[in-house]
Amino acid sequence: MPGVIVKICGLSTRPTLEATIAAGADMAGFVFFEKSPRHVALETAHALGQAAQGRIAKVALTVDADDAALDAIVAALAPDLLQLHGEETRERVAAVKARFRLPVIKAIGVADAADIARAAAYREVADTLLFDAKPAPNAAVPGGAGTVFDWELMRGYSGGDWMLSGGLDPANVAEALRLTGAPAVDVSSGVERERGVKDEAKIAAFVAAARGASV
């Protein structure tokens, strides 16, 4: 899978943003969800967005955010893409895309093949589908839990642009890419030293492992 796209998500500090850029990642993700340990305030997002401008694609991750919240986030970060990580309907995804005129990534929680089939409903309204491990029913946040789903479910997937997420780390990303042929990978907890705190060395190792697998 030549040229695999690498996204580092849940960034919240300037040093880890700089490490992400230095490692050669393609996308930097910023989480706007107060229940998440990776949540960034608008003021912080603005500063990080300014630092990232023109150097890496900026992704704003939200969870069932309303228009007012999205307006504020877009004004602060000036993202290149929007990632919808909640229970947004097909209609909501289309409305967000029309309102902001930005590419949209729609996250799909996966536990079995039926979840992948369900994703087809979003294909015409989302630019990219992100397949993540489905959270437990009582989970406080919809992602970033470090949980892996059965990658065999994605073998041979041909439903358009997509990303693989869920439990990836520097040690397993090459195998995940080999099994799935994913064109893009997304990591958050797998490059942390503790929950919500990114590790610069792990970021570099993850990008290197993904790039090595795509040669």
Side-chain angles (χ1 to χ4, degrees), residues 33-210:
F33 185 56
E34 291 185 0
K35 293 181 180 179
S36 170
R38 304 165 188 94
H39 172 69
V40 289
L42 294 177
E43 296 80 4
T44 301
H46 178 71
L48 293 174
Q50 291 282 300
Q53 187 66 34
R55 303 169 69 201
I56 191 169
K58 298 174 289 184
V59 182
L61 184 158
T62 62
V63 179
D64 299 311
D66 61 20
D67 285 348
L70 287 170
D71 285 344
I73 289 164
V74 169
L77 182 66
D80 299 290
L81 304 97
L82 298 174
Q83 180 173 329
L84 306 182
H85 217 97
E87 297 297 322
E88 296 90 359
T89 64
R90 183 180 185 279
E91 292 73 22
R92 177 58 178 158
V93 174
V96 168
K97 185 174 174 63
R99 181 181 180 88
F100 296 100
R101 301 188 181 279
L102 290 170
V104 173
I105 301 168
K106 177 66 183 91
I108 306 293
V110 177
D112 55 36
D115 294 316
I116 297 168
R118 179 176 65 87
Y122 291 93
R123 177 49 63 195
E124 292 182 4
V125 293
D127 296 272
T128 302
L129 299 181
L130 183 148
F131 293 98
D132 196 2
K134 181 176 281 188
N138 60 346
V141 295
T147 304
V148 176
F149 69 91
D150 183 4
W151 295 327
E152 287 287 347
L153 294 170
M154 301 306 305
R155 189 189 289 272
Y157 179 78
S158 58
D161 288 343
W162 65 284
M163 306 181 77
L164 180 68
S165 188
L168 297 177
D169 60 35
N172 69 15
V173 66
E175 177 69 2
L177 286 165
R178 185 187 71 78
L179 280 172
T180 66
V185 289
D186 172 76
V187 67
S188 187
S189 62
V191 291
E192 292 179 346
R193 66 169 63 97
E194 59 186 84
R195 192 164 183 261
V197 181
K198 294 291 182 285
D199 184 291
E200 295 167 37
K202 289 182 178 180
I203 290 171
F206 183 88
V207 176

